[in-house]
Amino acid sequence: MATMEPVSGDPKKRVCYFFDSDIGGFHYGPGHPMKPTRVRMTHSLVMNYGLYKKMEIYRAKPATKREMTQFHSDDYIEFLSKVTPNNMNQYQKEQAKYTVGDDCPIFDGLFDYCAISAGGSMEGAARLSRDKCDIAINWAGGLHHAKKGEASGFCYVNDIVLGILELLRYHQRVLYIDIDVHHGDGVEEAFYTTDRVLTVSFHKYGEFFPGTGDLRDMGSGKGKRYACNFPLREGITDENYKRIFEPVINQVMESYRPGAIVLQCGTDSLSGDKLGCLNLSMRGHANCIRFVKSFNLPLLLLGGGGYTMRNVSRAWAYETGLAAGYELGATLPINEYYDYFGPDYKLDVRSSNMEDKNSVEYLERIKNVVLEHLREIGGPPGIQMTDPPLLPRDEVDMDAEEEERRDPDDRNRRLWDKGRQRDDEYSDSEDEGLGGRKNERSHRAGATTTNKNNENSATGGNAAMTAEGKRAGAGFGEDEEGEAGGDVGEEDEDEDEEMADNEKMEEARKVMASVGSVSAGGVGAGAIGGGDDTGDAAGRAKSTDAGEKTTPGPVPTTGVAGPSNVTNGASATTAVQPGVPAGSGDA
């Protein structure tokens, strides 16, 4: 039977976990090593271990074209939104321009896949910035190779850069740490000439993709010494990795004093990865998360590389448990991917006997150079901060704070923290919801969503309705009586709100443009422009919850279901039904 035990001495954290069930239905193509199904495998373990009781689970609003163009060029995002396998021959010139083809193929639902990945990272960053959680997790994110106007290394849209931009609205300095086997070149390039983001990457270097990340690459201009690279050789072990990781991060925290941390947890650094060449065990990899968490700063955990699916899902499930303050038991619970984990069916990835080519002398020499560069920073840079401009969701958040101060009997029961089971609560039946309680309001909100979607279908709908109307119908505008907002008779009010939103969006872009001096290929004022999408401001959603909270339900025991709306348009946000452990009892 699957078990989990609280980590002794570990303070409890508020954890928000983002997952979209559609992610498992995308496919890069036959023979391609990148398989998005690994995220769904991870989620299956998370749910069947019972971790859903210890954190809040959300389905993020997919990122819009306008939000993506805060970093990426308008024409590149427009190309991604239009190209499909059926019309790709019409875009041969663009494919060469944007390096889309072999490593980054065009597949069905490509733009929706990018929107889900980026949306989760941006929603997580928004909730961290607004102190709605201490740790946000998006295993569908971490695509660190994508450039401003170019796909690279299986990555199309750089969700990490978009998430960091969201954090920079509220934090003077952000630290980015990358433990993927490949260098985080896309993120480093984006912030190469600014001191507001310090990037640290531990990676294999030398005749290895992407070929960047030399020890001497330290940033330029205002960002000099704010890019830190630790080049590794093949076969590094847990002990040697810990020997370099902890001193470097300690020095970074002392010299830079970030306000928030983004940690890219690529699992291709694990032993036995199909494309990696390091030799970390699951616990050696997870030690990085444990150590970074100990600094008690807002933490955004993202996925990344990882091409042996059974090991990827093991590691990310285990690290989800650590984030929530629980050590998962060694015996895997029964889940829909149970056969993948044979023959031992254990939650473990062990190191192999491969040779470690990183000698102690080599590691000490590189570590000393890196530490000296970090000491030369001479303390955190001073940043002149102003109050961030209000976006539409900020007003909703202020309303929510007033709601918190009201009589509990009159308070809206859709508050996100109602879905987490207390440690001293036990349920006789998992099938009847958490603690035997059903969320009837969520049921009514879901019915409202169905009705609105049916009305849209009957009237033909339009592209804007896909991005805005369905989110409003999914319970984002719900009043105290549980009825969905945005009734048909409120067109005049909606028009006034839209005009106000556009004004606030212009203010937001001005703040984003003040991030600092950046490289031509990075984030600059020119990159933070409006795209063609008119649905959203240059921040996150208009919802207090910054995403749709999910309600536990039964886990399917069949194979992966394809996405319900893998089309070239924006995905509608509908309620997710994550599962309750099948056949494992109460964890």
Side-chain angles (χ1 to χ4, degrees), residues 421-488:
Q421 180 170 308
R422 293 193 346 235
D423 292 337
D424 57 353
E425 287 184 355
Y426 296 92
S427 171
D428 292 332
S429 174
E430 296 277 357
D431 296 333
E432 297 182 2
L434 296 182
R437 297 185 301 276
K438 292 183 179 179
N439 189 340
E440 295 182 0
R441 287 187 179 274
S442 295
H443 174 73
R444 289 203 297 270
T448 305
T449 305
T450 303
N451 293 336
K452 282 186 173 288
N453 289 344
N454 290 339
E455 291 172 11
N456 297 337
S457 177
T459 57
N462 52 52
M465 188 59 194
T466 302
E468 290 291 347
K470 292 185 179 179
R471 283 195 294 275
F476 286 93
E478 194 171 51
D479 59 22
E480 291 185 26
E481 295 301 321
E483 299 297 334
D487 290 338
V488 178

Side-chain angles (χ1 to χ4, degrees), residues 5 56 86 90 224 226 282 300 365 398 403 479 556:
E5 297 293 335
E56 302 163 4
N86 294 329
Q90 304 173 22
K224 184 73 171 178
Y226 292 95
M282 181 185 74
L300 179 60
R365 178 169 57 85
M398 287 188 287
E403 185 95 12
D479 59 22

Side-chain angles (χ1 to χ4, degrees), residues 484-520:
D487 290 338
V488 178
E490 299 177 354
E491 289 87 348
D492 295 338
E493 295 181 8
D494 292 342
E495 292 177 1
D496 294 338
E497 291 177 0
E498 183 176 353
M499 293 177 62
D501 293 347
N502 290 336
E503 294 175 359
K504 291 167 185 172
M505 179 179 60
E506 291 300 326
E507 296 178 9
R509 286 208 297 271
K510 292 178 182 178
V511 169
M512 300 301 292
S514 67
V515 167
S517 174
V518 293
S519 62

Side-chain angles (χ1 to χ4, degrees), residues 1-6 48-51 326-333 347 584 586-587:
M1 180 177 177
T3 60
M4 58 180 181
E5 297 293 335
N48 285 286
Y49 264 109
L51 281 171
Y326 288 84
E327 180 95 13
L328 300 186
T331 302
L332 290 173
L347 185 69
S584 59
D586 196 354

Side-chain angles (χ1 to χ4, degrees), residues 179-181 202-204 232-236 241 268-273 276-280 352 354 358:
I179 59 174
D180 194 289
V181 71
F202 301 84
H203 53 270
K204 168 70 170 66
L232 299 171
R233 297 171 181 169
E234 296 178 0
I236 191 167
Y241 203 91
D268 46 8
S269 50
L270 289 173
S271 177
D273 189 82
C277 57
L278 303 185
N279 195 23
L280 297 182
S352 69
M354 73 180 298
N358 299 271

